[in-house]
Amino acid sequence: MPRRGHSGRLNGGIQGRVLLLTICAAGIGGTFQFGYNLSIISAPTLHIQEFINETWWLRTGQPLPDHLVLLVWSLIVSLYPLGGLVGALLAGPLAIMLGRKKSLLVNNIFVVAAATLFGFSRRAGSFEMVMLGRLLMGVSAGVSINVQPMYLGESAPKELRGAVAMTSAIFTALGIMIGQVVGLR
């Protein structure tokens, strides 16, 4: 059995695995979600617009005019980048106050809250919950796209920092691709 302190290969192999797991966990929990939510919104357009109209019909007894359905839909789509702006502005102070790792962990609160809002919006009959969920997903994306490369760059050994920091872009592209594939009819 090789000694841990004596064998550089054993320590390097374990450190490599830990670094790979760190990259995957941060990537899937961070920039992958950013890419996915960026691209997935096109697929359910008609379903969400129908949901907006049905909800309005149940509340008022009248359909919402098409131009107002389009306005609400536009708000739903545009709240994601607006939330991203808020998240990007929060990322620096959060990373300083909590540290990089804790910032990414706290950032998951926004994702869980958004998923809960999305999941219960139909049952509650509230398209406003979808709007708030998109805003919170945007905040999460803004934080993760800024803090994740910092965290990974600091976690990696000097000779791998550039390559490790680039994984954020890889996970973003992967999220966009998966969002497009899931959105296929």
Side-chain angles (χ1 to χ4, degrees):
M1 180 172 209
R3 292 184 211 162
R4 290 184 178 253
H6 183 36
S7 173
R9 280 182 122 173
L10 182 62
N11 286 337
I14 291 171
Q15 287 176 340
R17 284 191 201 112
V18 168
L19 182 60
L20 182 63
L21 288 173
T22 301
I23 290 167
C24 289
I28 291 168
T31 54
F32 175 84
Q33 291 182 36
F34 163 67
Y36 181 82
N37 283 291
L38 191 64
S39 68
I40 195 64
I41 196 65
S42 302
T45 300
L46 294 175
H47 299 291
I48 294 174
Q49 287 177 343
E50 287 173 8
F51 171 62
I52 293 166
N53 210 11
E54 287 171 14
T55 303
W56 192 260
W57 185 286
L58 289 173
R59 289 180 187 173
T60 65
Q62 298 175 346
L64 192 61
D66 288 342
H67 69 280
L68 291 179
V69 171
L70 186 60
L71 175 67
V72 173
W73 170 248
S74 299
L75 282 171
I76 288 171
V77 172
S78 61
L79 282 170
Y80 183 70
L82 181 64
L85 174 65
V86 171
L89 294 173
L90 285 174
L94 242 146
I96 292 168
M97 191 170 57
L98 300 176
R100 279 64 160 148
K101 183 178 181 180
K102 284 184 184 171
S103 294
L104 290 173
L105 292 172
V106 166
N107 191 35
N108 290 327
I109 293 169
F110 296 115
V111 175
V112 170
T116 303
L117 288 167
F118 292 146
F120 289 107
S121 62
R122 184 166 291 280
R123 178 169 282 186
S126 173
F127 59 81
E128 295 86 358
M129 290 172 71
V130 175
M131 295 169 81
L132 182 58
R134 284 287 288 178
L135 182 71
L136 292 176
M137 277 311 267
V139 171
S140 169
V143 170
S144 69
I145 201 132
N146 287 290
V147 177
Q148 182 184 331
M150 284 190 271
Y151 172 66
L152 291 177
E154 292 172 359
S155 300
K158 233 185 245 185
E159 61 274 2
L160 294 175
R161 279 192 189 144
V164 169
M166 286 301 301
T167 60
S168 297
I170 293 167
F171 277 99
T172 300
L174 187 62
I176 291 170
M177 184 193 75
I178 298 295
Q180 291 294 316
V181 169
V182 167
L184 292 175
R185 298 207 190 297

